[in-house]
Amino acid sequence: MNTLKKGLLVLVIMMTSLNVTYANDGCEKIKKYTVKAVNKAIDKGCGYVAAEFEGACVSATAAETGATSTVPCTIGSGVLGFNCKFFGKKYVKKNAENIGKNICDVVYPDTAPYIFIENHLKEHQVDFKVIVKAGNDIHMHGNNWLEGDSTGVLASNELDGKHYTVKARIKRGLKKDIHLEIHKVVPNQDRVYVYHKNGHYHIGKKEFHHKPMIAIENHLENHKVDFQVVVNNSTDVHLPGNNWLKAGDKNILTSYKLAGNSYTVKARIKKDGKDIHLVEHHVHPGKEGVYVYYKNGKYKIAKKDISYSSK
């Protein structure tokens, strides 16, 4: 195994086993900003709470990443302010940490912990939900019902525990709905599926063979690189927060969107006043990594097999 392959494999294993990403770290800070803002300014009113959160968020983002965009912080303050105005100050004070997780879902929507769901029934829709705690369930975004013979995802930063119960409600038209449930489902690890066998409806779970992630490396000495995975009919996947990967650094592009077989990865090299664009096709999540390098007077992009399996 060559040095690059070893490096990418170790990186993927470390990021997976520790469950540490930039986004997760960012979400921990957002929860901290939320709780601190609520405790400091809740008695002054909802506007003060939102402003306190945004101020802390902007200052920390600029100091830690050098990013000048305040959009995520502004969006976050809006979510916090809405919760305060709609539900009241007592609710916000009691649920500050959970509201912080909700803010993470808005600011970092693609990197939340996830559970893939599969409806193996051809003629019936299924409503899957994760039971977080009494009165707080996580369904699919948008329309809760997963069509027959389709796949979806349950994703939220509230899925920060070890395992959960997933329930499924099978819609059968004029007949009575069927309810199923399965326990000890692990986010970022298990798929849950509903199927029909021997005259009965069943629910099961299975472990991923390959994680929805692509390792990235910047082998350049002086230039930053913005890697992105192209996802059809959806927002492309970048590094969360500040998209740029510094010279000599390595990281992971991970999102529940990367559940397909292969993707195109683009790399934008920041060089003086004119960026350089590179493209690599047919990159397989969980199996291959992508790196940018300089050789013989040209900038190049390539992929390498990392053959990482969760088993």
Side-chain angles (χ1 to χ4, degrees):
M1 186 182 289
N2 61 39
T3 303
L4 173 63
K5 185 174 178 180
K6 285 182 179 178
L8 289 171
L9 178 58
V10 169
L11 176 63
V12 173
I13 293 173
M14 287 177 64
M15 297 291 279
T16 305
S17 61
L18 295 176
N19 194 28
V20 174
T21 66
Y22 182 94
N24 286 344
D25 183 52
C27 281
E28 287 301 315
K29 288 171 182 170
I30 281 178
K31 286 190 290 183
K32 180 180 176 182
Y33 303 153
T34 305
V35 173
K36 185 176 180 181
V38 169
N39 289 337
K40 185 173 182 180
I42 191 65
D43 292 332
K44 297 180 181 179
C46 295
Y48 289 95
V49 173
E52 184 69 31
F53 170 88
E54 185 168 358
C57 178
V58 170
S59 298
T61 300
E64 294 173 17
T65 69
T68 57
S69 174
T70 62
V71 173
C73 300
T74 302
I75 293 173
S77 67
V79 174
L80 180 57
F82 174 83
N83 274 268
C84 188
K85 291 178 181 178
F86 192 81
F87 296 109
K89 293 193 292 186
K90 288 184 178 179
Y91 173 88
V92 170
K93 192 167 186 177
K94 184 179 180 181
N95 295 279
E97 185 168 330
N98 281 335
I99 293 172
K101 294 175 184 177
N102 297 150
I103 293 172
C104 286
D105 287 347
V106 176
V107 176
Y108 301 120
D110 299 336
T111 49
Y114 54 84
I115 296 171
F116 277 106
I117 48 178
E118 301 175 355
N119 179 4
H120 291 186
L121 309 176
K122 292 184 178 181
E123 300 179 356
H124 303 298
Q125 296 175 317
V126 179
D127 175 18
F128 291 87
K129 63 179 177 180
V130 188
I131 309 302
V132 178
K133 61 180 181 179
N136 187 16
D137 305 332
I138 296 168
H139 297 254
M140 284 199 311
H141 297 303
N143 182 9
N144 292 346
W145 294 101
L146 184 62
E147 297 293 333
D149 213 16
S150 299
T151 60
V153 66
L154 305 172
S156 173
N157 284 285
E158 293 189 59
L159 299 179
D160 57 2
K162 294 182 178 179
H163 56 77
Y164 295 88
T165 293
V166 175
K167 294 185 177 182
R169 180 160 63 105
I170 302 172
K171 191 177 186 67
R172 298 196 303 164
L174 298 177
K175 295 182 180 180
K176 186 177 180 180
D177 291 348
I178 293 176
H179 296 265
L180 303 170
E181 65 180 65
I182 189 165
H183 306 285
K184 296 185 177 180
V185 178
V186 181
N188 296 18
Q189 177 176 307
D190 292 331
R191 289 177 180 258
V192 174
Y193 58 101
V194 165
Y195 62 104
H196 188 269
K197 187 177 181 181
N198 298 330
H200 296 282
Y201 294 96
H202 304 272
I203 188 170
K205 65 179 178 180
K206 54 186 175 182
E207 191 174 341
F208 280 115
H209 288 284
H210 295 286
K211 302 295 184 183
M213 56 176 61
I214 295 173
I216 52 175
E217 288 197 357
N218 180 1
H219 290 190
L220 306 178
E221 295 181 356
N222 301 310
H223 305 296
K224 297 187 290 186
V225 179
D226 173 19
F227 290 87
Q228 72 179 91
V229 186
V230 179
V231 183
N232 291 331
N233 303 318
S234 186
T235 306
D236 296 340
V237 177
H238 295 254
L239 285 174
N242 183 5
N243 295 342
W244 295 99
L245 185 65
K246 294 180 180 179
D249 278 2
K250 58 184 69 175
N251 211 314
I252 294 287
L253 293 176
T254 180
S255 170
Y256 59 77
K257 293 179 180 178
L258 305 182
N261 183 47
S262 67
Y263 296 87
T264 293
V265 177
K266 294 183 178 181
R268 181 161 60 103
I269 302 170
K270 193 174 185 65
K271 184 183 179 184
D272 303 325
K274 187 176 182 180
D275 293 343
I276 297 172
H277 297 266
L278 303 171
V279 179
E280 183 71 21
H281 300 287
H282 308 299
V283 181
H284 298 81
K287 299 180 182 180
E288 294 173 322
V290 176
Y291 62 103
V292 165
Y293 63 106
Y294 186 81
K295 186 177 181 180
N296 298 330
K298 294 183 179 180
Y299 294 94
K300 301 181 180 182
I301 186 171
K303 60 184 176 182
K304 286 286 186 177
D305 176 29
I306 57 175
S307 297
Y308 171 70
S309 174
S310 60
K311 292 187 176 182

